[in-house]
């Protein structure tokens, strides 16, 4: 992070620390308009933040000092910015809707491949939806079970729920990710083998959880349908690894490809989105891609002062590094977005949860914050207490829509009234005098006072559509990218995840071997836990 600019921001925070959001509104009748930006069907009102124009100008200087413009161009044009894995980062190519667009990696245009896979997915999704592709016994496919984890699960699972109003309701999508057999078993209880298609989604096709679940699902299917030959009608794969797909027994004609320049957590608009495409249909899927692309174009071309991802990223940095907030909450006022905070947890925390800078040196400032949240209004009856009156600063993103897919009575007005009222209460609070004026007894005044000055962003779109949904995901992707650039960390690798993939492999044999582990193989605590487990399962300790 640029020290010179950052020290100016710190000085500004110190000089204005007693100026509240309420004061800022009182001194500027145009504040709401000044701090509102529009992009790709979304309005971002960020006026309820602890910022003046001066704060924003300084934050924008920080973006400039990090050469953000060049970094954005490097990403869009296919430079290998994921340096620790020597890969380009081109999720934006997956939704590049510009006619005739070309994007080069190692001298080869990736766009023909992107278009070909989209066409292959579309043909497959159509034939499945129309009942042309049928199961081994001739029955229509009514259930899709996606087997994948992390980036090969969270995106399609979240998006399939988010875009349920656009789904073909006669096809049910299930997502199995956990190696805990309970998830697979409970899913299989709900489906009939003859009507079920399994999508094995794994970039590497070697991930322990996914391959374990896929093998068990395959055994179940063969058992239920009585023939190995059934597998080819009931299993397809999404992967970058054709060799492993073939070794598993899936015909590579039924494999949907993606590429090493698509990071797992950025892969929803790739073939990883196949269950979503089957659910909402190819045309809606393409509308979603267009929504992503509109936000991509906004991000690439809009001046930083009007650039929604850049503005949100800068505000996040102000709170993380300037006000020392450890976390932020994302609060969608839409039940269809219930899984959006969980999806963002991976997107943000796996991307920016890094402790060394791009030169491999330990950073001495905070990087990726903890992200969490739940849909409104449920959260209001749970954790909002802490946001309103607790000792921690929790900046919040409120997300809402002007129209509901389920316009029953006045539910939607009530939902949105809560959204707007919460942001106002957080910003302006309720003074002790206001409590007294309402007749609150003096001894209760401290408990009923809200100091306010709690920052929020409000994101509003007309309705939750494939296009606004795509734009929303792209908004957060780019916000996270900008923060990574300013923190000078690599956002597109995930060595912490790799570690987990190796560690369990070392312990696994010790849980079932005839002989207990030799002394000293594991640390003391792990050794005693392994022996406790073995004893309960009747094995020698
Ligand atoms: C995402 C991560 C990680 C990955 C899973 C699944 O960015 O790399 O969450 O998606 O570990 O990996 P596979 O798709 O290779 O099974």
């Amino acid at each position: 992070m640029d020290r010179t600019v950052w020290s100016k921001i710190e000085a500004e925070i110190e000089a204005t620390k007693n100026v509240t959001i309420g004061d800022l509104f009182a001194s500027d009748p145009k504040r709401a308009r000044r701090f509102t930006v529009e992009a790709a069907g979304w309005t971002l009102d960020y006026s309820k933040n602890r910022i003046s124009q001066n704060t924003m100008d300084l934050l924008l200087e920080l973006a400039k000092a990090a050469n953000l413009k060049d970094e954005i161009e490097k990403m869009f044009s296919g430079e290998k910015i994921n340096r620790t894995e020597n890969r380009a980062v081109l999720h934006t190519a997956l939704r590049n809707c510009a006619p005739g667009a070309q994007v080069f990696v190692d001298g080869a245009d990736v766009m023909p491949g992107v278009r070909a896979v989209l066409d292959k997915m579309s043909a497959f999704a159509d034939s499945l939806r129309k009942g042309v592709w049928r199961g081994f016994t001739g029955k229509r496919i009514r259930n899709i079970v996606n087997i994948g984890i992390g980036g090969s699960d969270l995106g399609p699972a979240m998006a399939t729920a988010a875009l349920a109003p656009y789904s073909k309701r006669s096809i049910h999508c299930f997502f199995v990710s956990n190696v805990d057999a309970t998830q697979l078993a409970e899913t299989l209880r709900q489906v009939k083998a003859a009507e079920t298609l399994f999508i094995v989604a794994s970039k590497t096709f070697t991930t322990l959880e996914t391959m374990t679940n896929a093998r068990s699902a395959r055994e179940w299917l063969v058992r239920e349908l009585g023939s190995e030959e059934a597998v080819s009608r009931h299993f397809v794969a999404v992967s970058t690894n054709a060799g492993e797909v073939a070794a598993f027994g899936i015909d590579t004609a039924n494999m949907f490809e993606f590429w090493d320049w698509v990071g797992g957590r950025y892969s929803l608009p790739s073939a990883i989105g196949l269950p979503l495409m089957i659910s909402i249909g190819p045309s809606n899927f393409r509308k979603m891609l267009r929504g992503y692309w509109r936000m991509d174009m906004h991000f690439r071309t809009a001046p930083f002062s009007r650039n929604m991802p850049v503005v949100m990223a800068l505000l996040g940095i102000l709170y993380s590094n300037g006000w020392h907030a450890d976390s932020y909450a994302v609060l969608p006022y839409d039940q269809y977005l219930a899984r959006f905070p969980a999806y963002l947890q991976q997107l943000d925390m796996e991307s920016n949860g890094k402790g060394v800078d791009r030169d491999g040196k330990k950073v001495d400032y905070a990087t990726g914050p903890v992200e969490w949240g739940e849909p409104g209004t449920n959260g209001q009856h749970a954790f909002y207490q802490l946001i309103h009156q607790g000792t921690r600063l929790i900046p919040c993103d409120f997300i809402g829509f002007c129209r509901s897919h389920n316009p029953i009575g006045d539910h939607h007005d009530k939902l949105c009234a809560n959204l707007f009222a919460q942001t106002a209460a957080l910003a302006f609070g309720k003074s002790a005098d206001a409590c007294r004026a309402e007749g609150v007894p003096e001894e209760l005044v401290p408990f009923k006072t809200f100091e306010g000055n709690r920052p929020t962003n409000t994101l509003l779109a007309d309705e939750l559509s494939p296009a606004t949904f795509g734009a929303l995901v792209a908004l957060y992707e780019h916000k996270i990218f900008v923060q990574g650039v300013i923190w000078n960390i690599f956002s597109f690798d995930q060595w912490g995840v790799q570690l987990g993939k190796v560690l369990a492999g070392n312990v696994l044999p010790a849980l079932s071997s005839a002989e207990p582990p030799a002394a000293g193989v594991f640390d003391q605590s792990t050794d005693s836990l392994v022996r406790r487990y073995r004893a309960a399962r009747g094995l020698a300790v």
Side-chain angles (χ1 to χ4, degrees):
M1 220 164 37
D2 188 281
R3 300 288 167 178
T4 322
V5 183
W6 185 252
S7 49
K8 287 198 240 170
I9 294 171
E10 279 185 326
E12 162 79 5
I13 292 173
E14 182 56 31
T16 58
K17 66 176 185 230
N18 295 323
V19 180
T20 65
I21 296 171
D23 299 333
L24 291 163
F25 270 95
S27 64
D28 181 359
K30 295 209 173 106
R31 182 175 171 83
R33 186 137 31 105
R34 184 191 308 282
F35 294 126
T36 294
V37 288
E38 307 271 342
W42 284 94
T43 300
L44 166 68
D45 177 342
Y46 63 102
S47 60
K48 293 188 185 100
N49 276 290
R50 296 179 182 177
I51 48 160
S52 64
Q53 190 57 54
N54 196 38
T55 329
M56 279 318 288
D57 292 344
L58 288 169
L59 287 168
L60 290 163
E61 254 187 64
L62 195 63
K64 258 206 194 140
N67 290 324
L68 179 59
K69 191 83 202 147
D70 293 349
E71 295 292 322
I72 294 173
E73 278 315 301
K74 282 187 201 164
M75 176 170 73
F76 274 90
S77 57
E79 247 189 62
K80 294 194 174 171
I81 60 170
N82 176 356
R83 291 222 298 269
T84 67
E85 295 181 317
N86 194 30
R87 288 175 181 168
V89 175
L90 273 180
H91 42 279
T92 52
L94 300 166
R95 59 262 191 153
N96 189 328
C97 300
Q102 294 183 308
V103 181
F104 291 92
V105 175
D106 291 330
D109 181 10
V110 300
M111 290 309 296
V114 168
R115 294 186 196 107
V117 172
L118 258 178
D119 289 345
K120 183 174 174 180
M121 290 165 66
S122 303
F124 180 72
D126 272 337
S127 84
L128 208 108
R129 288 162 62 88
K130 289 182 184 141
V132 177
W133 177 288
R134 289 184 177 236
F136 179 64
T137 66
K139 290 217 163 133
R140 278 181 89 121
I141 298 296
R142 299 192 187 283
N143 307 300
I144 306 293
V145 179
N146 190 81
I147 298 180
I149 196 165
S152 301
D153 166 74
L154 284 159
M158 178 279 289
T160 303
L163 296 177
Y166 300 86
S167 68
K168 192 173 171 77
R169 299 281 182 177
S170 57
I171 295 183
H172 302 283
C173 291
F174 301 86
F175 292 85
V176 173
S177 52
N178 201 332
V179 75
D180 182 343
T182 296
Q183 199 180 17
L184 179 66
E186 288 296 343
T187 301
L188 297 183
R189 281 191 181 106
Q190 298 174 64
V191 300
K192 291 199 177 82
E195 299 176 345
T196 301
L197 179 86
F198 292 93
I199 299 175
V200 185
S202 174
K203 184 169 166 178
T204 54
F205 230 72
T206 54
T207 304
L208 172 97
E209 292 88 338
T210 301
M211 299 326 296
T212 306
N213 279 321
R215 275 186 220 105
S216 300
R218 191 183 195 283
E219 278 167 25
W220 173 83
L221 182 100
V222 170
R223 208 166 47 240
E224 291 286 309
L225 298 185
S227 171
E228 280 283 334
E229 282 169 41
V231 173
S232 66
R233 301 304 293 171
H234 292 270
F235 275 81
V236 299
V238 177
S239 189
T240 58
N241 190 343
E244 289 293 333
V245 169
F248 180 84
I250 296 178
D251 186 348
T252 47
N254 298 330
M255 167 179 150
F256 300 85
E257 189 194 1
F258 64 119
W259 305 272
D260 73 356
W261 41 262
V262 183
R265 54 195 174 277
Y266 296 85
S267 64
L268 171 60
S270 74
I272 287 290
L274 184 62
L276 173 67
M277 188 194 267
I278 294 170
S279 174
I280 64 173
S283 151
N284 280 321
F285 192 85
R286 285 175 195 264
K287 284 181 190 156
M288 176 189 80
L289 295 183
R290 193 159 273 278
Y292 266 102
W293 184 64
R294 281 183 69 195
M295 186 59 82
D296 292 346
M297 287 302 92
H298 165 79
F299 176 52
R300 194 175 183 177
T301 58
F304 290 162
S305 60
R306 313 288 305 159
N307 192 311
M308 202 179 277
V310 173
V311 166
M312 283 180 63
L314 293 173
L315 291 168
I317 286 178
L318 175 74
Y319 295 118
S320 282
N321 303 96
W323 291 96
H324 307 292
D326 293 324
S327 78
Y328 74 103
V330 173
L331 309 165
Y333 276 62
D334 191 303
Q335 193 60 33
Y336 287 122
L337 288 179
R339 295 286 291 157
F340 190 58
Y343 167 80
L344 282 183
Q345 276 179 341
Q346 180 189 28
L347 195 68
D348 200 342
M349 292 158 75
E350 204 167 276
S351 296
N352 286 342
K354 310 287 165 61
V356 292
D357 69 14
R358 292 180 179 190
D359 298 317
K361 295 206 183 79
K362 216 167 160 30
V363 295
D364 58 2
Y365 44 85
T367 59
V370 176
E371 188 278 335
W372 56 285
E374 278 287 319
T377 56
N378 294 5
Q380 289 175 209
H381 299 266
F383 53 78
Y384 278 38
Q385 165 65 41
L386 183 147
I387 302 177
H388 279 287
Q389 288 188 307
T391 53
R392 292 168 200 278
L393 176 67
I394 318 258
C396 304
D397 293 348
F398 283 75
I399 301 173
F401 299 93
C402 302
R403 288 194 293 271
S404 168
H405 284 285
N406 300 296
I408 302 172
D410 63 354
H411 285 239
H412 196 64
D413 288 344
K414 285 177 175 157
L415 176 72
C416 291
N418 271 282
L419 185 168
F420 300 139
Q422 285 291 332
T423 68
L426 286 164
F428 306 114
K430 187 173 187 183
S431 67
D433 285 346
C435 292
R436 287 183 194 110
E438 279 179 7
V440 172
E442 197 54 36
E443 68 275 17
L444 285 182
V445 167
F447 302 99
K448 296 201 165 194
T449 301
F450 293 76
E451 62 186 20
N453 203 28
R454 317 252 159 163
T456 59
N457 292 318
T458 303
L459 279 162
L460 203 56
D462 286 353
E463 66 178 1
L464 176 55
S465 67
T468 54
F469 170 77
L472 180 69
V473 179
L475 167 63
Y476 278 92
E477 285 178 349
H478 297 320
K479 172 203 154 182
I480 290 162
F481 169 77
V482 172
Q483 294 188 329
V485 169
I486 292 174
W487 284 323
N488 193 31
I489 55 175
F490 288 127
S491 299
F492 297 105
D493 57 17
Q494 56 283 312
W495 297 106
V497 180
Q498 305 306 123
L499 175 73
K501 290 190 180 186
V502 176
L503 286 182
N506 300 338
V507 179
L508 183 62
L511 298 187
S512 57
S513 54
E515 293 304 315
V521 170
F522 300 118
D523 65 85
Q524 227 185 93
S525 159
T526 309
D527 185 80
S528 108
L529 292 167
V530 166
R531 284 174 209 281
R532 168 76 179 81
Y533 180 90
R534 288 177 61 95
R537 294 171 66 97
L539 292 170
V541 292

